[in-house]
Amino acid sequence: MKIEFILNGKPIQAECPEGESLKSLLKRLGMISVREACDGEGSCGLCTVLLDGAAVNSCLILAAQVQGRDIVTLEHYVHDPLMRTIQKALVDAACVQCGYCTPAVVLAVRDLLSRIPNPDDSQIADALSGIICRCTGYLQFREAIRLAAARASDPSYIPSPPQEFRPELRHVGKDREKVDADVLVRGERAFVEDRVPPDACWIELVGSPFAHAWISEIDTSEAEAMPGVLAVLTCENCPPISYTTAGQGFPEPSPYDQRMFPRKVRHVGDRVAAVLARTREEAKAAAKAIRVTYEVLEPVLSIAQAKAPGAPVIHSGDVSYVSGSPPEGTGVRGDGRDDPVIYQFPLHSDPHRNLAASAQAGIGDTERGFAGADIIIERSYKANRVQSAPLEPHTVFACVDSSRLVLRASTQVPWHVRRIVARIVGLPEHKVRVIKERVGGGFGAKQDIVVEDIAGYLAWITRRPVYFRYTREQEFIASRTRHAMEISVKLGARRDGRLTAILMRLDADTGPYGQHCLTVPMNAISKSLPLLLCDNARFEVKSYYTNLSPAGAYQGYGAPKGSFALQTAMAELAEALGMDQLDLLEMNRVRSGSTIEILKSLGEGREGSAVTLGTCGLGEMIARGRAAFDWDDPKPESPDPDWKIGRGAVIIQQGSGLPGLDAANAEIRLLPDGTALLLSGGADLGTGLDTLTAKVAAEALGLELADISVVSGDTDATPFDKGAYASSGSFFSGKAALLAAEDLKAKIIAAASPLLGEPTEDLRIEHRGRVVGRKGEISFARLGHVSVQGQGHGELVGFGSFKTEHAAFPYGAHFAQVAVNPRTGQVRVQRYHAYQDCGTPINPALAKGQIYGAVLKSIGHSLYEEMLYDEAGRCLNPRFLDYKVPTMAELPEDFVVELMPVDDEVGPYGAKSVSEISVNGAAPALAIAIHDAIGVWIREWPFTPERILRALGKL
Amino acid sequence: RAAPSGQALGPAPGLAAGSLRICLGGLGPKAARFPALEKAITDSAHGGSLPPKETIEEISCEHFSPRSDARGSAEFKRLRAAVLLADTLHAMEAVL
C-alpha cells in the first residue's frame, strides 16, 4: 500500500506492505538513529520517534497509521538550538555511555521539555521509564534534564562546578567531553548495523528445540534449492575444528569443546544450522525448510542432576590435553560419536562425569582453625542465572575485501576474534582484519565469539557480504549468561569476632560448553576471600556442565556471587555473635599495609604469591557510610506499619586486569600540524576508554583533547591489546597510552634538541604543543612538519607496551536501606550509597555513571532478574516483557556514589579500575538489610516477594 | 514479575448487601468477578464496616484457585491477591 506523511519536515510517499511497522519503514528509509533492542515487542523504547510531536515506540505503530501525520527522527535536528541544548546537557552530565539508547532518550527529553519546561523527578521518571538503558543507572539523566531546562531558559546559565581531583593536572581528574559522545548523541553512524551495505546477505540460525539431543539426520536439500539461498551450514559441512568461544589470553583456561555446529545439541537454542541468503525473508523461509531428526536425550537441568551418579553425560567425546596429563581416574576415551574435548592444560576436570573444571587450595590449617573457634556457622547460598542484556545484541558484518576477510564487530576482544576466526576459517592472521565498531553494551557477553565465527566463515566461502544479528530471544538463550552458583560458607570465629577459619565450597553451572568454566567461579573466590584476613582459609570450586543456556563472562565475573555468599555469611556470623555486622567486618578486613596470604593460592592459571597492600581506602569509605547512615543510632522508624525498615553494609573488591597475564599496547604519532593520532589497542565498549586514553596522552604531551584523535580496536591500524575484560581498560590500555605518550615526548625532545641547538636536559614540553629551552622554543607543528620532510628525526612516533606483576585492587563499601512489606514480600530500596576507591578518577562524572549503572544492574539481579526454565530446559522468559530489568522507575530514592581517591603507584596517573567492582555489593547489602527489616535470611538470589514470603513462613 | 491486579467497586458508605463487586486479574487466563467472595465479605461486615484486613485475607484465600506458572506459585498468587484485596477495600473505605 502507498502512504503519504511528513518525515523530518519533508513530504514522503512510501510503498509498504500491509502490517509493516513504522519502525521497519523508517529503517528502510535510512533513519539509522531509530534503534531496536526488543524485536518489536515495545518493551525497550529504543525505536522512539516523535509522532505529531509526541514520543512513541515506532515498533508499536503501523506504517499505515501515520498517513497524513508528522514524524520526526533524530536525523531532523542537526542545528536546532533546543535540541543542541538537550544533546549538550546529556553529554555534559555523562549520560552517554554506549550510546545505543541515546537517540531515544534525546527525543523523549525533547518531548518532555516541550510539554513541561521544568519537570520534577517524578515527571522525568515518567517520561524516561519506557526506555531501557543498561549502562548509566539513569540518575544522571535527571541532572542532564535540569541542565537542559536551565540552559533553555537562560543560555548563559552556568551550573555549579563539578567535583575535581588532582589539582596539579590539566585533564586527569576533571570532567571532559567523552570523545565519541557527539556522534552518539546525534544518532550518527557508529555501530555495526550502520556499516551494513544494502546488498549484504543475511544469516538465519536454526536453533535446537531440545536441551539435549543427537542430530541423527539433517536434510538441507529443499532449503538449498530455495530462492536466494547461498549456503547452508550444518554439523555435516562445517569446519572440523574444536575451539572455545571465550576471548581469553592464549592458551585459554577453557576447554575446546565446541565445533561451529555440534553433532549433539546441548541446550535449547544450540546451533543446528545456518542459512545464508540474499535477503532476510529468503533466509528465514529456507531455515524453515531444513528437516532435522533428533534423538532426544534426558537433559541435565541443575548442578545436583549434573553431579548425580549415573547422570546423562553432556560431553561424551574423546578428552585430550595439549600439555599435561589427564587427572588420575578420569575418562579420556569417547563414545566415538560426540565431538572431542581438548584442554590446553589440565583443569582438574572429568567431562565424562560432567565436571568441566575444578580447583582447591588454601592457606594454613582450616581444621585447626575450626577446632580453635568459639563459634562456627555454616550456611549455603544460591544465585541463579541472569542475563547481561546489552541493548545491541551480538552482531557482525563480514566481507571479503582485497582477498582478506574483514569483520566489523561489536566485540570486547578484537585480537581474540582475529585469532579464533582465522584458525576456524583456515587463514593466517594477516588475512583477517577485525574492526571494533562502537559497542552498544557488552558487559562481558561480548568477550565471547558468538556470531563472528559463522559470519566470517560464510563470508569467506561465498565471497559475499554477510550480516548476522542475534534476536533478543537468541541473546537470552544462546549468548552468554552469568553462571548459576551454589556456595556454602563455613566460618569459625573467637568470641570477640576474630576469624579463625574460612571454608568456601562453590559449585558452578557452566551450561553446555566450558567457556570461562574455571575462571568465573575462581573469581568468585579470588575477589571475595582476600577481603578478610584469616590465617586458615580454604576453598573448593567445581564447575559442572548442564543443558541450560551457556554461561560466560558478565561484569563482576563470578565476584557478585562470591561476595553475596561470604559477606552475607559474615553478617550471619555477626548475628550469632551478637555483634554489629559492620564492627565484625571492620575487625577482620584488609587494610593499608596488610599482607594478603590467601593470594598465594589464587594465582590466575599460575603460581600465586602473597601481596602486601599499599594504600587501601576501605577504612575511610566505611567511615563515610557509617556517618551518612547514622549507623550507630537506631535505624529510622517506618511511618507505615506494613513496611519494615532495615540496613545493610558490605565491603567489596575487584582487580585491575590480570597481573602477569594481560598486555596492552599503544602508539601515538605526531602529525605535521602538531596534533596527535593515538592508536590504542583498547576496546572501548561504551565505558569511555577512548576518552581516558586521549586524556592521559594529552596530559603527558601538554595538549588539549581537541588536539588528539583516538583510533582503537582495529587489528590493522592499532597494536595488540588483550581486550576489554577483567577490569583491565583503565589500568592496562590506559597505561599503554601513557607510556606511548611519554615515549613520544622523549622523542620530541630528542628531535627538538639539534633544531634548537640546546641539550635535551635543557628542554621541556609546555602547554600547548611547545618545546621550550633556555634560549628558544619550537612548536610541535614545526617539529611534526620537519620530521616528515626528510629532515631531522623522521616521523615522530611513540610506542607504549604495558605488562605488570602489580595487582591494583579497587575496593568499595556499599550501604543500603530497604523497606520490606512482610504481608506482600515487596522490597523497596530507599537508600543506596556506593563508596568506591578507584585510585585517581580520570573522568569523574563518567566513572560515577558507570558505578550508578553497575549498582542498578545489581539491584535488578538481586531483586527480580532471573532466567526461568521449564522441565524440558526451555527458557520461559527470554524477553524484556517477562525478564524485568531496572528502568528509571526503579531508582533508589537516595542514590549516591562517592569516589574515594587513593593513589595507585603503577596505574596511569594513579588510576585503578572502577566499573566492574560496583556490581558486587547489592546482593549481600540488600540481603543483610532485608534481614535487618524482617528478621529472616534470604539465601537465594533474586529475593523475590515469593521467596521472602516463604522465608517468613507465610507460604 | 506481574502480580495479581484487580479492582473492587463499593463499598458505599456502609457495606450494604449487594453493594460490593470484586474483579481480579492475574489469577487465571482472564480477569474474573468473585460473587461468592463479595457475599462472604459483606456477610462478615459488622454494622456496615469492613472486617479487619486479616479477616478479609483469610476469607478471600479459599475463593482463589490460581495456577502455578513462571510468574509465581499458586499459593503465592492466592496470598498476594488476598492482601491486595484487603488493602484495596480498606483504602477505599478510607477514601469514602
Side-chain angles (χ1 to χ4, degrees):
Chain A
M1 63 184 297
K2 184 177 276 184
I3 59 162
E4 295 181 6
F5 64 106
I6 307 292
L7 175 61
N8 293 335
K10 297 269 167 37
I12 287 267
Q13 284 191 345
E15 211 34 76
C16 52
E18 280 181 32
E20 183 175 29
S21 70
L22 175 60
K23 177 194 76 178
S24 159
L25 172 61
L26 291 173
K27 288 186 95 65
R28 280 202 293 119
L29 292 171
M31 301 296 112
I32 62 158
S33 74
V34 180
R35 305 289 177 193
E36 59 178 329
C38 68
D39 300 334
E41 181 184 71
S43 55
C44 74
L46 264 62
C47 64
T48 296
V49 298
L50 299 181
L51 169 62
D52 294 335
V56 295
N57 286 339
S58 60
C59 69
L60 297 181
I61 307 276
L62 290 175
Q65 285 177 281
V66 303
Q67 171 66 36
R69 301 178 74 179
D70 185 68
I71 300 293
V72 172
T73 69
L74 193 52
E75 280 82 356
H76 182 52
Y77 301 101
V78 180
H79 301 297
D80 178 83
L82 174 60
M83 198 51 119
R84 290 306 296 149
T85 300
I86 292 170
Q87 289 169 323
K88 183 79 173 60
L90 285 163
V91 174
D92 289 350
C95 296
V96 183
Q97 286 192 31
C98 85
Y100 202 65
C101 73
T102 306
V105 171
V106 171
L107 289 173
V109 173
R110 168 100 187 184
D111 172 34
L112 171 67
L113 291 182
S114 64
R115 290 182 286 114
I116 310 167
N118 285 296
D120 62 27
D121 286 352
S122 70
Q123 290 164 326
I124 291 172
D126 181 55
L128 292 181
S129 61
I131 298 171
I132 296 176
C133 171
R134 201 63 163 153
C135 297
T136 63
Y138 307 105
L139 192 81
Q140 289 159 314
F141 288 164
R142 282 188 194 154
E143 194 187 319
I145 291 168
R146 281 193 208 105
L147 193 58
R151 285 176 179 165
S153 61
D154 173 11
S156 63
Y157 171 80
I158 296 172
S160 52
Q163 190 183 13
E164 295 194 336
F165 301 86
R166 301 291 296 269
E168 78 281 14
L169 301 175
R170 182 178 295 273
H171 304 296
V172 167
K174 285 86 195 162
D175 291 334
R176 294 283 184 271
E177 183 171 313
K178 190 161 171 276
V179 294
D180 53 352
D182 191 53
V183 165
L184 296 169
V185 83
R186 289 173 182 271
E188 293 175 352
R189 279 189 168 70
F191 299 98
V192 170
E193 67 198 56
D194 306 333
R195 313 292 186 194
V196 181
D199 67 340
C201 304
W202 186 274
I203 291 176
E204 186 69 20
L205 193 65
V206 178
S208 167
F210 300 108
H212 197 192
W214 290 107
I215 296 174
S216 44
E217 210 178 319
I218 186 157
D219 179 0
T220 58
S221 52
E222 189 186 336
E224 284 172 57
M226 287 175 72
V229 173
L230 300 161
V232 179
L233 276 183
T234 69
C235 59
E236 303 292 340
N237 63 347
C238 73
I241 289 173
S242 295
Y243 53 98
T244 175
T245 63
Q248 298 174 302
F250 177 82
E252 302 96 331
S254 295
Y256 288 17
D257 55 6
Q258 222 170 333
R259 295 200 322 156
M260 189 179 287
F261 292 87
R263 295 174 213 283
K264 182 165 94 165
V265 287
R266 287 172 244 264
H267 68 99
V268 173
D270 202 357
R271 293 167 168 189
V272 173
V275 176
L276 180 71
R278 281 177 316 201
T279 68
R280 183 178 193 174
E281 292 67 32
E282 288 168 338
K284 277 179 178 293
K288 282 199 185 112
I290 294 173
R291 307 276 167 256
V292 190
T293 310
Y294 296 96
E295 184 187 326
V296 180
L297 304 167
E298 188 189 337
V300 174
L301 302 178
S302 66
I303 292 168
Q305 286 176 17
K307 61 182 175 185
V313 178
I314 294 170
H315 286 271
S316 51
D318 288 342
V319 181
S320 60
Y321 294 81
V322 173
S323 65
S325 309
E328 211 171 305
T330 63
V332 291
R333 177 157 308 173
D335 59 3
R337 190 176 180 189
D338 202 359
D339 304 319
V341 178
I342 302 160
Y343 286 89
Q344 295 299 310
F345 45 85
L347 302 180
H348 304 286
S349 60
D350 191 359
H352 294 168
R353 291 192 182 91
N354 294 330
L355 184 66
S358 70
Q360 53 176 317
I363 51 166
D365 180 343
T366 42
E367 271 181 35
R368 235 178 77 191
F370 285 120
D374 297 317
I375 185 164
I376 293 173
I377 67 159
E378 190 162 9
R379 302 284 186 271
S380 294
Y381 303 90
K382 192 173 173 204
N384 297 314
R385 254 186 178 65
V386 293
Q387 232 298 323
S388 56
L391 292 181
E392 177 204 37
H394 282 78
T395 184
V396 65
F397 171 67
C399 66
V400 177
D401 191 338
S402 307
S403 295
R404 298 173 75 215
L405 177 61
V406 179
L407 300 162
R408 291 186 175 272
S410 178
T411 181
Q412 298 174 216
V413 286
W415 278 266
H416 298 322
V417 172
R418 182 176 73 177
R419 171 173 51 81
I420 294 170
V421 171
R423 178 169 165 260
I424 294 167
V425 179
L427 293 171
E429 289 193 29
H430 73 83
K431 283 285 192 186
V432 180
R433 178 182 190 181
V434 178
I435 304 166
K436 180 207 73 79
E437 299 291 346
R438 298 331 289 176
V439 176
F443 313 122
K446 291 178 183 168
Q447 192 189 339
D448 271 36
I449 284 69
V450 171
V451 290
E452 293 88 347
D453 51 346
I454 296 181
Y457 183 68
L458 281 172
W460 186 254
I461 62 169
T462 64
R463 313 287 279 196
R464 302 285 182 135
V466 168
Y467 183 40
F468 189 12
R469 179 184 167 104
Y470 257 16
T471 63
R472 181 54 54 189
E473 181 174 355
Q474 286 169 333
E475 194 63 31
F476 267 94
I477 67 172
S479 71
R480 301 294 175 258
T481 60
R482 199 188 287 305
H483 290 69
M485 289 185 196
E486 294 170 16
I487 307 176
S488 83
V489 180
K490 185 175 175 184
L491 299 175
R494 292 205 308 254
R495 212 162 277 114
D496 66 357
R498 188 74 59 188
L499 288 169
T500 59
I502 305 176
L503 174 62
M504 284 181 86
R505 276 182 291 221
L506 185 155
D507 286 344
D509 162 4
T510 197
Y513 299 102
Q515 58 275 341
H516 311 271
C517 64
L518 179 64
T519 39
V520 163
M522 276 299 290
N523 211 49
I525 304 291
S526 64
K527 301 300 182 286
S528 63
L529 206 44
L531 276 161
L532 301 173
L533 296 172
C534 181
D535 294 337
N536 308 300
R538 187 160 185 81
F539 63 87
E540 298 167 18
V541 163
K542 290 186 174 136
S543 190
Y544 291 95
Y545 286 118
T546 69
N547 293 117
L548 296 171
S549 311
Y554 180 13
Q555 185 173 25
Y557 205 74
K561 296 188 167 177
S563 173
F564 168 48
L566 190 54
Q567 292 287 313
T568 311
M570 283 295 283
E572 297 208 40
L573 176 64
E575 186 195 24
L577 286 163
M579 270 180 85
D580 175 79
Q581 61 124 159
L582 203 43
D583 291 344
L584 184 68
L585 282 180
E586 271 285 19
M587 177 184 292
N588 290 289
R589 70 170 173 86
V590 291
R591 52 203 74 229
S592 301
S594 295
T595 298
I596 310 177
E597 296 286 341
I598 189 72
L599 292 172
K600 277 185 208 159
S601 59
L602 287 165
E604 305 257 4
R606 61 188 191 135
E607 192 77 7
S609 56
V611 167
T612 300
L613 270 188
T615 324
C616 157
L618 276 172
E620 168 66 15
M621 292 187 287
I622 291 171
R624 286 194 198 183
R626 251 183 206 282
F629 278 67
D630 297 317
W631 194 267
D632 299 321
D633 297 339
K635 62 187 178 186
E637 284 288 326
S638 170
D640 182 338
D642 276 348
W643 290 88
K644 311 293 179 197
I645 289 178
R647 302 183 296 199
V650 296
I651 54 173
I652 53 175
Q653 75 156 101
Q654 200 80 27
S656 295
L658 306 175
L661 288 175
D662 284 342
N665 295 275
E667 183 178 325
I668 186 162
R669 297 181 189 161
L670 186 68
L671 305 187
D673 64 352
T675 62
L677 184 66
L678 172 60
L679 308 173
S680 161
D684 185 338
L685 59 151
T687 52
L689 179 58
D690 287 345
T691 310
L692 183 141
T693 52
K695 284 178 82 167
V696 298
E699 189 75 56
L701 289 167
L703 293 172
E704 285 299 305
L705 243 62
D707 302 331
I708 295 185
S709 276
V710 181
V711 173
S712 65
D714 176 341
T715 58
D716 269 17
T718 69
F720 174 88
D721 188 289
K722 79 280 154 233
Y725 55 85
S727 289
S728 60
S730 306
F731 194 75
F732 276 81
S733 308
K735 183 75 176 197
L738 177 59
L739 293 177
E742 284 172 346
D743 185 41
L744 176 60
K745 188 173 163 180
K747 285 174 175 162
I748 285 173
I749 287 182
S753 170
L755 294 172
L756 287 171
E758 298 193 52
T760 53
E761 54 271 24
D762 288 351
L763 302 181
R764 63 186 189 279
I765 281 180
E766 292 220 342
H767 184 263
R768 178 181 185 183
R770 295 179 302 140
V771 181
V772 179
R774 289 177 184 220
K775 294 181 276 182
E777 69 171 73
I778 185 168
S779 69
F780 280 15
R782 178 81 193 131
L783 269 175
H785 175 74
V786 168
S787 68
V788 295
Q789 295 300 314
Q791 307 167 40
H793 185 282
E795 187 169 26
L796 291 166
V797 185
F799 299 96
S801 178
F802 182 58
K803 264 185 92 79
T804 185
E805 294 293 329
H806 171 79
F809 299 118
Y811 289 101
H814 285 198
F815 286 71
Q817 178 180 309
V818 299
V820 186
N821 185 329
R823 293 174 63 233
T824 63
Q826 288 166 288
V827 178
R828 281 190 204 143
V829 183
Q830 294 182 316
R831 305 183 69 193
Y832 200 101
H833 285 207
Y835 302 92
Q836 295 290 159
D837 144 21
C838 57
T840 298
I842 306 277
N843 298 292
L846 282 170
K848 282 184 168 185
Q850 287 195 37
I851 298 170
Y852 285 123
V855 167
L856 195 63
K857 266 200 287 293
S858 60
I859 289 176
H861 304 154
S862 307
L863 295 182
Y864 35 78
E865 293 189 33
E866 180 177 13
M867 293 177 72
L868 300 164
Y869 294 87
D870 69 9
E871 67 290 342
R874 287 177 293 240
C875 180
L876 295 166
N877 55 346
R879 59 192 75 85
F880 291 135
L881 281 181
D882 294 318
Y883 181 95
K884 164 78 184 155
V885 297
T887 68
M888 199 168 187
E890 274 78 42
L891 280 181
E893 291 153 40
D894 170 32
F895 193 8
V896 172
V897 166
E898 275 190 31
L899 303 173
M900 243 294 298
V902 169
D903 190 43
D904 182 84
E905 64 269 33
V906 174
Y909 293 103
K912 297 195 274 192
S913 77
V914 61
S915 144
E916 187 169 20
I917 176 176
S918 317
V919 292
N920 295 346
L926 295 178
I928 296 165
I930 289 169
H931 172 264
D932 189 42
I934 57 172
V936 293
W937 291 104
I938 314 292
R939 300 192 185 99
E940 184 171 354
W941 149 11
F943 320 132
T944 59
E946 179 160 354
R947 290 199 176 108
I948 287 173
L949 291 173
R950 241 173 242 294
L952 284 166
K954 297 202 170 183
L955 295 176
Chain B
R1 299 215 192 142
S5 62
Q7 57 176 241
L9 296 179
L15 191 56
S19 68
L20 181 65
R21 303 276 186 279
I22 296 169
C23 195
L24 279 151
L27 293 171
K30 51 190 175 185
R33 195 179 147 193
F34 293 82
L37 176 58
E38 292 161 4
K39 184 168 183 313
I41 291 177
T42 312
D43 289 349
S44 70
H46 297 290
S49 59
L50 277 175
K53 286 182 179 179
E54 296 72 29
T55 312
I56 298 176
E57 288 168 22
E58 221 166 90
I59 297 170
S60 307
C61 274
E62 57 197 69
H63 290 265
F64 301 144
S65 23
R67 272 190 305 201
S68 295
D69 61 19
R71 294 180 175 82
S73 68
E75 45 185 344
F76 168 69
K77 291 185 191 180
R78 191 180 296 121
L79 178 64
R80 189 69 191 83
V83 172
L84 180 70
L85 179 63
D87 286 350
T88 308
L89 289 175
H90 275 260
M92 288 176 67
E93 189 178 51
V95 172
L96 295 165

